[in-house]
Amino acid sequence: MTTTIQFPVSRIEGHAKVIVDISNGQVRSARFLAQEYRGFEQFLQGMPADQMPVIVPRICGVCSTSHHIAAVEALEDAYGVTPPDIAKKIRHLMMVGQLVQNQATSLFFFTMPDKLQATSIFGADENLGKETLGSISKKAMAIRKIGTELISLAGGQFIHPVKAVVGGVVSGIDRDAAAVMQEKIKKALPLACNLFDEYWKLTEKLAETVGHWEGDDPFYYMVAVDKHDPTLPVDYITMQRSDNSETVTFSAADYAEHLQFHRVQDSFSSKTSFNDLPIRANSLARMNLIENPGTPIATGYLERFRIEFGTPAHQILLFDLCRGIELINGLERANSLLSENLQEGEMNVPVTPRDGIGYGLVEAPRGPLIHNFHIKDGLIEKAGFVIPTVHNNFAIEQALTTMAKRYVSEDRIDLGLDKAMGWVVRAFDPCIACATH
Amino acid sequence: MRFAVLQLTGCAGCEVSLLNAGDELNLANLAYMPLLVSAHDVPEDVDVLLVTGGIRTDEDLLKLRDSAGKVKKIIAVGTCAISGGVAGLGDRHDIREHFLAQANKGRVPRMLPKCSPIDTEVEVDNYLPGCPPVPELYIKLLNDPQSLKTTSIVCKECGRKKPKEIRPDTLTAGIHKDIDPELCLVKQGQLCVGTSTRNGCGAICPRAGFPCVGCRGPSNNLIEKDADAWFESLISIFRRMTDIDPVLISEALKSPHFALFLFQFSDYADTELEKRPKEKVL
Ligand code: SF4
Ligand code: SF4
């Protein structure tokens, strides 16, 4: 007998569902399907290239900063422009703001409720005292806000930033405003550490009940960050096999030669593989592949993480802990960036638009993101978006299948399956609006 | 007051902005919002339903109809829900068929022939435009709706100076630069539409040096008129403030690919923009 069970997934960005196929008491497969679509690659055709930095952030309101900057860099690549250093720093700060915002949201709003057996972090739930949740969500809100304030400060608009333009940024950051922001960060940092410690304990507890699960099949980790500063993107992608036996690097322009894209009938998102194996991008990939986060408190956390779980560590639930390390790293990094001169000097260089092909690569919170534009007569002839969640899709399904098997036996399906599917998906923090665009 | 957020096809920016307002809102009253709360449907006891995103798929339509029957009040939030926004760009004449053919291939929610604003299907009590609306607007909306009544134009919140003697004669094409942070961007030759866009956003973009792209939609003076009236008004403002050739301004504004269309006229493919009574627009 064959049964198919469907679960809509909440507390992630966008519309998706998990489908588990069971036949004769055995899990055949578990799949993760994206259910929305807007068609960016199609409707951008014919639009003026210079409008891209305003339009493409709307691919996703969660990671819009990545799209904003990837688009600007793709145009700069096409036009042969190098922005001044100060503009690069301001863009870097924007990305750090987004990292803080994203990791805090994923950690405290999306996955912490799972660890507390609640449906949300706002205390609408009966199982837990309203006070407990109320105080957690207050702290979580304050930490997360630092991220959006950083995006506003560096990017102008708070969700769909506007300040990165081809050639640089429109304006700098006022020294006084930077100092005010630093004060806020200094206050938020102990709060963030405190809540993350709490989170770490809860994760260990959850691991006691569900065990450490990772699956033994090989896969590749994928990152595009500096080995000593995981908030800083580099201009090449690194793929490392999970058993450390192979490392490959390639540039954004060569992505199509290295990655295989698979289309499916029942999802608006495709899936990527590398050497026909699944890929894992996102926090765990970064924390496994870097040497150190480059800031003191985060380095302490990563050392503790490596002692407890080894390097590389492959357990799925560890994505969440790595997000916490990155949250702390982001706060520390933002603080040091804000000490630099971001106010005086050349903010942008002159630009002469020209036709051609450009690639922009940034490390979004979910992994390496590439924008590719073909420009003709100043208009977009072809636009391509290579999305981190798409890289993770096979790995998500692999992990879902491994997990589902624990809840399904010959004679029964454990009712916890629904929740467990949610845990797995959220560990990868997928973004459906991005994945389908 | 219990409230819920129904997310149709959009980018989640509107939801994230609501979350930004979180510390001023009582989110324990949030009954349903898939981004933040695990609940499969809008429950029966909801007072206010905020709807984000446009009606792009058959599932969007079903969910909207189903939820609308359960709530006392519906508020369309963000450009996508109000005029299609980014979700509606697939309706552009030259790509629509290609888009639909491409999208309706597999066993996935079906794309409707057109992406529609939510008031084509359900009665909407209020509109909160913006892409996304800023957190302050959500706070007012949910805590003290009366305080939202009066709006003006973005310039009021921007505060850049518009000296009479400065009259640029060229439109700075595409490339944005803020030469003087005190000086109005129109006076710098940029295509800022803050002069006829409704305020409430705090003028965050022009204050940071980037021209307003009109995401909050037309101001009260223009909102009950058609798109042409908005264009005419902008052109005459540029004539008053600059020496730029009005033909150039008109072309730049009406270029169907200018970002403005993303925010307000994305349904220009087939129909006229619906006129909303200004009392309902917040
Ligand atoms: S209105 Fe703007 S912010 Fe809101 S969902 Fe649409 S694109 Fe996103
Ligand atoms: S920059 Fe734009 S919003 Fe500001 S005053 Fe000038 S026209 Fe108005």
Side-chain angles (χ1 to χ4, degrees):
Chain A
M1 201 191 72
T2 310
T3 333
T4 300
I5 323 180
Q6 281 202 33
F7 307 104
V9 191
S10 53
R11 277 187 279 121
I12 60 166
E13 192 296 316
H15 306 284
K17 60 182 180 189
V18 169
I19 289 205
V20 184
D21 279 320
I22 300 167
S23 97
N24 302 322
Q26 298 236 329
V27 173
R28 292 280 159 235
S29 68
R31 292 182 317 122
F32 181 60
L33 307 174
Q35 302 292 299
E36 61 177 73
Y37 181 63
R38 285 158 303 159
F40 272 82
E41 282 173 359
Q42 294 159 46
F43 66 64
L44 291 179
Q45 288 171 27
M47 294 201 177
D50 62 80
Q51 295 277 312
M52 292 304 108
V54 178
I55 294 177
V56 300
R58 269 91 187 165
I59 287 177
C60 173
V62 175
C63 26
S64 35
T65 306
S66 310
H67 292 292
H68 179 55
I69 292 178
V72 168
E73 292 186 355
L75 295 177
E76 284 172 346
D77 183 37
Y79 300 164
V81 179
T82 312
D85 274 348
I86 204 162
K88 284 189 193 155
K89 278 187 199 149
I90 291 173
R91 292 180 190 178
H92 183 184
L93 187 63
M94 239 186 268
M95 291 295 286
V96 173
Q98 173 182 248
L99 186 75
V100 169
Q101 189 270 129
N102 191 82
Q103 305 312 54
T105 307
S106 173
L107 216 53
F108 304 133
F109 295 87
F110 293 174
T111 64
M112 197 144 179
D114 290 334
K115 281 145 192 147
L116 296 162
Q117 276 94 46
T119 51
S120 85
I121 201 74
F122 305 116
D125 209 74
E126 301 97 48
N127 292 343
L128 258 186
K130 278 191 193 234
E131 264 110 84
T132 320
L133 284 175
S135 83
I136 295 177
S137 65
K138 248 209 187 88
K139 281 187 219 162
M141 217 84 86
I143 299 161
R144 194 188 157 275
K145 206 159 190 181
I146 297 290
T148 49
E149 287 184 16
L150 283 166
I151 300 174
S152 309
L153 186 67
Q157 216 242 46
F158 65 117
I159 287 192
H160 297 309
V162 292
K163 267 175 73 166
V165 290
V166 180
V169 290
V170 273
S171 57
I173 297 175
D174 179 72
R175 208 162 262 131
D176 296 339
V180 171
M181 194 67 230
Q182 280 180 306
E183 282 312 308
K184 289 188 185 170
I185 293 175
K186 279 179 203 144
K187 277 208 193 105
L189 200 50
L191 213 58
C193 291
N194 178 289
L195 205 51
F196 178 41
D197 292 340
E198 199 61 30
Y199 189 97
W200 195 305
K201 274 190 226 139
L202 289 167
T203 304
E204 282 168 346
K205 241 202 229 148
L206 184 69
E208 273 167 33
T209 34
V210 297
H212 296 282
W213 36 281
E214 51 181 83
D216 308 320
D217 302 326
F219 57 87
Y220 283 88
Y221 283 115
M222 178 188 208
V223 300
V225 293
D226 189 276
K227 282 216 174 307
H228 303 280
D229 179 0
T231 68
L232 189 69
V234 291
D235 58 6
Y236 57 89
I237 289 169
T238 303
M239 309 293 305
Q240 187 172 305
R241 212 177 136 109
S242 47
D243 57 7
N244 280 358
S245 64
E246 186 193 10
T247 306
V248 179
T249 59
F250 57 89
S251 73
D254 296 332
Y255 80 83
E257 283 166 39
H258 293 271
L259 302 172
Q260 300 94 45
F261 293 86
H262 308 258
R263 291 210 159 273
V264 279
Q265 277 289 298
D266 41 12
S267 172
F268 282 118
S269 168
S270 51
K271 312 178 203 181
T272 330
S273 61
F274 181 78
N275 287 344
D276 296 318
L277 289 178
I279 298 169
R280 288 188 193 174
N282 208 320
S283 57
L284 182 60
R286 290 186 290 266
M287 290 303 105
N288 273 334
L289 265 58
I290 58 165
E291 265 160 44
N292 61 65
T295 60
I297 307 176
T299 301
Y301 275 114
L302 186 60
E303 277 166 9
R304 178 179 155 198
F305 177 91
R306 287 180 172 170
I307 291 168
E308 222 170 291
F309 306 104
T311 17
H314 300 312
Q315 299 157 29
I316 307 288
L317 284 177
L318 299 180
F319 273 100
D320 293 328
L321 289 188
C322 289
R323 252 169 232 129
I325 302 173
E326 292 193 312
L327 168 66
I328 307 297
N329 185 219
L331 289 168
E332 291 182 284
R333 185 63 68 182
N335 189 29
S336 66
L337 277 168
L338 284 164
S339 300
E340 300 193 28
N341 164 35
L342 303 170
Q343 187 175 19
E344 280 130 30
E346 192 187 31
M347 294 294 157
N348 44 38
V349 294
V351 175
T352 318
R354 64 178 190 212
D355 287 355
I357 300 175
Y359 293 86
L361 167 67
V362 298
E363 178 84 12
R366 291 164 185 79
L369 164 73
I370 301 169
H371 282 201
N372 169 221
F373 299 127
H374 294 235
I375 305 160
K376 201 175 163 212
D377 302 327
L379 305 178
I380 298 294
E381 192 181 31
K382 199 173 137 214
F385 302 99
V386 185
I387 304 283
T389 292
V390 176
H391 303 321
N392 272 333
N393 270 337
F394 275 119
I396 295 176
E397 294 188 338
Q398 199 179 45
L400 282 171
T401 308
T402 309
M403 187 63 141
K405 285 183 178 159
R406 301 185 162 206
Y407 285 81
V408 177
S409 59
E410 298 255 334
D411 47 349
R412 66 189 215 101
I413 297 169
D414 189 307
L415 283 179
L417 180 62
D418 182 358
K419 281 199 176 122
M421 295 295 94
W423 298 338
V424 174
V425 170
R426 278 173 218 122
F428 288 89
D429 190 22
C431 181
I432 313 305
C434 288
T436 56
H437 50 278
Chain B
M1 185 206 63
R2 299 251 296 162
F3 72 104
V5 182
L6 178 65
Q7 308 167 213
L8 305 180
T9 299
C11 83
C14 286
E15 292 86 324
V16 176
S17 179
L18 176 67
L19 182 56
N20 282 3
D23 41 7
E24 307 263 342
L25 301 173
N26 187 356
L27 290 179
N29 287 336
L30 180 56
Y32 170 86
M33 177 174 176
L35 183 72
L36 298 173
V37 182
S38 290
H40 287 330
D41 269 311
V42 175
E44 298 283 346
D45 57 347
V46 165
D47 299 296
V48 177
L49 180 71
L50 309 183
V51 183
T52 65
I55 312 170
R56 177 75 273 185
T57 65
D58 53 359
E59 274 189 15
D60 287 337
L61 184 58
L62 281 178
K63 271 193 259 168
L64 177 63
R65 283 185 182 157
D66 178 54
S67 318
K70 298 182 188 168
V71 301
K72 299 202 184 89
K73 201 171 165 190
I74 296 179
I75 301 176
V77 169
T79 311
C80 293
I82 297 174
S83 53
V86 94
L89 286 177
D91 286 344
R92 232 178 64 204
H93 263 329
D94 44 335
I95 58 141
R96 178 146 150 208
E97 278 183 14
H98 175 55
F99 167 78
L100 290 173
Q102 172 78 19
N104 282 334
K105 258 199 243 159
R107 295 184 301 276
V108 279
R110 274 202 82 69
M111 293 288 145
L112 300 175
K114 204 179 164 321
C115 177
S116 316
I118 68 160
D119 60 2
T120 56
E121 283 299 326
V122 297
E123 179 102 24
V124 168
D125 297 282
N126 282 116
Y127 300 86
L128 185 71
C131 184
V134 294
E136 292 70 27
L137 289 169
Y138 282 103
I139 296 168
K140 288 185 187 162
L141 174 75
L142 293 165
N143 293 349
D144 180 17
Q146 292 310 317
S147 63
L148 274 170
K149 280 287 174 299
T150 46
T151 63
S152 174
I153 56 171
V154 177
C155 299
K156 276 269 169 2
E157 291 172 342
C158 172
R160 284 177 180 252
K161 298 201 173 65
K162 301 171 176 169
K164 284 212 174 53
E165 65 284 3
I166 299 183
R167 297 183 64 83
D169 54 12
T170 40
L171 199 57
T172 50
I175 307 303
H176 305 290
K177 237 185 175 152
D178 188 15
I179 292 159
D180 175 357
E182 306 269 293
L183 185 64
C184 169
L185 294 167
V186 171
K187 294 286 187 185
Q188 300 187 33
Q190 297 196 22
L191 204 58
C192 184
V193 298
T195 50
S196 57
T197 300
R198 76 190 301 109
N199 65 355
C201 58
I204 38 184
C205 301
R207 280 172 58 184
F210 195 87
C212 170
V213 283
C215 83
R216 285 263 295 149
S219 64
N220 274 347
N221 285 342
L222 295 160
I223 197 156
E224 290 172 355
K225 301 185 181 138
D226 60 15
D228 274 336
W230 194 14
F231 285 131
E232 283 317 314
S233 142
L234 276 167
I235 292 164
S236 74
I237 286 166
F238 272 85
R239 196 177 288 146
R240 274 206 308 278
M241 289 173 66
T242 71
D243 291 325
I244 305 170
D245 183 352
V247 179
L248 282 181
I249 300 287
S250 170
E251 272 171 14
L253 283 174
K254 289 190 187 173
S255 144
H257 311 313
F258 181 55
L260 196 58
F261 283 85
L262 164 68
F263 300 117
Q264 293 312 319
F265 308 118
S266 49
D267 47 357
Y268 67 97
D270 261 341
T271 46
E272 287 276 303
L273 190 73
E274 287 277 333
K275 281 162 213 150
R276 278 87 190 211
K278 61 172 177 252
E279 308 72 53
K280 285 194 171 187
V281 185
L282 304 172

